[in-house]
Amino acid sequence: SRFETCWPALMKDSHGVIIIFNPELPSHLKEIEMWYSCFVQQQPLLDSQCLLVAHHKPGSAGDTENLSLAYPLNKLKLIHSNLEDDPEDVRMEFMKYFKSIITFINESREREEMSIIS
């Protein structure tokens, strides 16, 4: 990709990764493996710091039940977004995700401070 040279700058000190994809495009399903590998595994971030969002376009079939992702993507939190149907659900999931990241950052900071003290 022509933006690969920017990736190290994007990744530096990041605490979370949200990968949004169109589940109806087979090419996207292959690409999210690459994004996960580069942005999560190589950093390394925990799987809990990654959120997958399958975004269904308005008017699409939106078969949310039968999206089975292969390992290791199937370990990640996956939400389906369809802004026609229920934007509130998606908003709630985003809030939960951001809260978990903030908790993680605070706990990491406390551990660092304790290690300095001791």
Side-chain angles (χ1 to χ4, degrees):
S1 142
R2 59 197 159 146
F3 298 116
E4 271 179 57
T5 50
C6 306
W7 287 2
L10 286 172
M11 289 191 243
K12 186 175 170 3
D13 299 331
S14 63
H15 295 289
V17 174
I18 298 173
I19 300 173
I20 301 173
F21 64 102
N22 181 342
E24 286 152 51
L25 292 180
S27 63
H28 272 207
L29 298 179
K30 285 280 357 129
E31 276 174 38
I32 56 176
E33 287 177 23
M34 184 266 299
W35 290 110
Y36 172 74
S37 168
C38 292
F39 280 83
V40 181
Q41 288 178 313
Q42 287 174 31
Q43 286 220 70
L45 293 178
L46 300 174
D47 286 341
S48 59
Q49 290 169 275
C50 182
L51 178 67
L52 287 182
V53 181
H55 184 65
H56 301 270
K57 288 185 171 165
S60 67
D63 184 4
T64 58
E65 299 308 308
N66 295 323
L67 179 62
S68 58
L69 297 171
Y71 181 87
L73 298 172
N74 60 4
K75 301 183 300 175
L76 304 174
K77 171 82 176 153
L78 169 69
I79 63 172
H80 290 271
S81 77
N82 178 340
L83 300 181
E84 280 182 320
D85 282 0
D86 208 341
E88 191 54 32
D89 259 15
V90 175
R91 203 174 72 84
M92 291 298 291
E93 289 292 351
F94 267 106
M95 291 308 290
K96 267 198 283 192
Y97 171 70
F98 286 124
K99 279 182 185 158
S100 74
I101 295 293
I102 290 164
T103 303
F104 177 82
I105 293 168
N106 289 337
E107 285 171 359
S108 301
R109 195 169 291 145
E110 278 169 27
R111 273 197 303 273
E112 266 173 44
E113 286 167 5
M114 288 310 288
S115 69
I116 292 166
I117 293 165
S118 55

